[in-house]
Amino acid sequence: QKSGMLEGWKDLTMWRCRTATLSLLLVGVFHSVSAYSVQVYDNVISSATAKYLHSSAQAVGLGHRSFARPLKANGTYGPIELALDAILSEMDGEKAVGDKKQYVEYWTRQEWRSIEAHADVDEFRAKEEDSSVAAAADLISLGPDGYRYPKYGHVLYLQVGSNVRGPTCVWPGRRSGGELLRDVLVSTEPKEDEGDAEGIPDKESCNAAANMVEMIIVPALRGRLLRFPGSALHAVPRPHDLWFLPFVMGSASHTPAEAWGRSVVLFNIWEDHPPKGVSLNSGEGHKDEPVIEVGGGDVGKLHCRAKVDWKPISMSGTAVDADDEIVPAKIWLLGNERRRDHPMRTVKLSGSIRIQDALAEQELVSRVWMDNELG
């Protein structure tokens, strides 16, 4: 369905898209952007499995851990690790790993907190680089190209409180706050491998102005799975309309969990070698963590549903009318200046006031567009 904000801008911006192709070639900003690179599935795990994993997430705490795939026969793994392996096996098939090692970094959160916009990187490696004064200037000049990114990022939603309006927002093709302000080509056609961040944009499928910033809004819903390119900028606002408010007063509520809890497992896929400084389970388990033997009795509780039973979720465009009120937005950015790729803590964009309604959605996944020229 070609309704929504993209269609609303199409006639006005097609010519700008064609001219943007040349300008982007000149300045070297050449990312292929497509909403197809963001995948959302419902019905991935049962309510019972979600409850079991929520208890496991509370037990392991907030630290980052990782495990190697394929799993070792008769190896010992935590409940979350076995569940994530089952999900990835259904999603990608065993051939996705093959003879190569794949590393899954994961961590958990049980509260709805505001998470500033960022892309996941090899954190400890980046901190070591930041501490090297000699390399600092060169690294800053590299911008987003100076980081190591995972292949894919994921969010698995386990429990969502009744008052939570805390979507995960993803900006495909943008790796930093600075890139929100740079023009990119927008592709509306899927590529053969949406995980390839270096794919060349198809000029014939460029259907929006280069200054339009695409954002995918994925509401938190129990049993839902989100996958996005590992280098993609993403964030969680609290309150949901945080970016449109002049200021926020008061402290946020986190209890009771039935109202305000937002329990998720976040996990990244790394290839070649694991992220630096993260505890790695190669089949022996993590220290001081309950483990389950592959083939053990509790493994059945950790199976996800077969992929044929997953429900792929399409994205609904937020339509733009000529008389829509256009309002400013201020996106908060995570990290130091190198990570932000921008001197300020915020980036200014603008967009239809109805984007706030999309951010308040409890289930519907939305694809919206904002302008980085008016911000």
Side-chain angles (χ1 to χ4, degrees):
Q1 181 180 351
K2 293 192 175 180
S3 60
M5 187 172 274
L6 175 62
E7 193 69 16
W9 284 96
K10 185 174 180 181
D11 293 337
L12 295 176
T13 62
M14 185 64 91
W15 68 273
R16 296 176 70 179
C17 181
R18 295 192 183 102
T19 58
T21 303
L22 176 59
S23 65
L24 288 172
L25 282 168
L26 294 174
V27 301
V29 181
F30 210 20
H31 302 300
S32 179
V33 182
S34 170
Y36 292 92
S37 62
V38 177
Q39 302 169 48
V40 182
Y41 298 92
D42 286 348
N43 201 46
V44 172
I45 56 176
S46 68
S47 297
T49 298
K51 184 176 181 180
Y52 186 87
L53 292 176
H54 172 64
S55 297
S56 299
Q58 290 177 309
V60 301
L62 306 179
H64 287 228
R65 301 166 184 261
S66 66
F67 65 96
R69 298 181 73 228
L71 301 186
K72 183 183 293 184
N74 300 318
T76 54
Y77 298 89
I80 292 175
E81 294 172 339
L82 291 173
L84 298 186
D85 179 72
I87 288 171
L88 292 172
S89 295
E90 283 292 332
M91 193 169 199
D92 300 324
E94 297 295 342
K95 65 179 182 180
V97 180
D99 296 329
K100 299 187 301 181
K101 282 286 187 181
Q102 189 180 82
Y103 301 92
V104 182
E105 176 194 19
Y106 66 95
W107 62 105
T108 71
R109 295 290 182 266
Q110 284 83 55
E111 296 177 335
W112 177 24
R113 294 186 180 274
S114 182
I115 306 298
E116 297 166 328
H118 68 286
D120 292 340
V121 300
D122 194 329
E123 295 283 353
F124 282 87
R125 171 181 162 177
K127 288 178 181 178
E128 288 182 349
E129 293 168 344
D130 286 340
S131 66
S132 172
V133 177
D138 290 337
L139 289 169
I140 291 176
S141 68
L142 286 174
D145 291 330
Y147 288 102
R148 179 183 179 228
Y149 301 96
K151 181 176 183 181
Y152 294 116
H154 306 78
V155 184
L156 178 64
Y157 302 88
L158 304 178
Q159 302 285 343
V160 181
S162 57
N163 293 338
V164 172
R165 303 293 183 271
T168 304
C169 299
V170 182
W171 290 271
R174 316 271 181 165
R175 302 169 296 176
S176 66
E179 288 194 340
L180 289 176
L181 298 177
R182 298 178 196 137
D183 294 347
V184 302
L185 291 176
V186 178
S187 170
T188 60
E189 301 298 331
K191 307 299 180 185
E192 283 189 15
D193 180 8
E194 286 293 346
D196 181 7
E198 298 179 356
I200 300 300
D202 178 1
K203 287 182 282 186
E204 296 303 318
S205 66
C206 183
N207 285 10
N211 63 288
M212 298 307 294
V213 177
E214 177 190 33
M215 180 171 70
I216 308 300
I217 302 172
V218 183
L221 187 69
R222 185 175 65 182
R224 171 169 283 178
L225 175 68
L226 162 65
R227 167 178 276 188
F228 53 90
S231 61
L233 198 71
H234 56 283
V236 179
R238 179 169 187 183
H240 71 275
D241 56 353
L242 169 69
W243 302 323
F244 296 88
L245 299 175
F247 54 86
V248 178
M249 296 181 62
S251 58
S253 298
H254 296 289
T255 56
E258 293 77 12
W260 298 106
R262 185 182 184 274
S263 180
V264 297
V265 177
L266 307 107
F267 60 105
N268 293 328
I269 293 179
W270 298 86
E271 296 183 330
D272 300 325
H273 54 91
K276 195 167 187 177
V278 177
S279 173
L280 174 64
N281 180 7
S282 296
E284 297 77 28
H286 295 283
K287 185 179 179 181
D288 301 327
E289 180 187 0
V291 294
I292 300 173
E293 287 190 11
V294 173
D298 280 344
V299 171
K301 300 177 183 177
L302 304 171
H303 285 168
C304 64
R305 291 188 168 105
K307 192 176 181 182
V308 293
D309 296 322
W310 295 8
K311 181 182 177 184
I313 303 301
S314 59
M315 299 172 194
S316 175
T318 298
V320 175
D321 295 329
D323 57 353
D324 265 7
E325 180 183 359
I326 302 300
V327 294
K330 184 169 61 176
I331 311 298
W332 288 88
L333 307 175
L334 180 71
N336 59 17
E337 182 173 345
R338 177 192 169 206
R339 184 78 170 268
R340 300 190 307 266
D341 188 28
H342 187 65
M344 308 297 291
R345 289 287 316 280
T346 60
V347 163
K348 294 181 179 179
L349 304 174
S350 61
S352 167
I353 194 171
R354 283 189 283 162
I355 291 176
Q356 297 178 50
D357 295 332
L359 290 165
E361 267 287 339
Q362 290 183 272
E363 185 172 349
L364 185 67
V365 177
S366 299
R367 183 188 190 194
V368 304
W369 297 82
M370 304 181 79
D371 197 326
N372 65 16
E373 285 191 343
L374 303 179

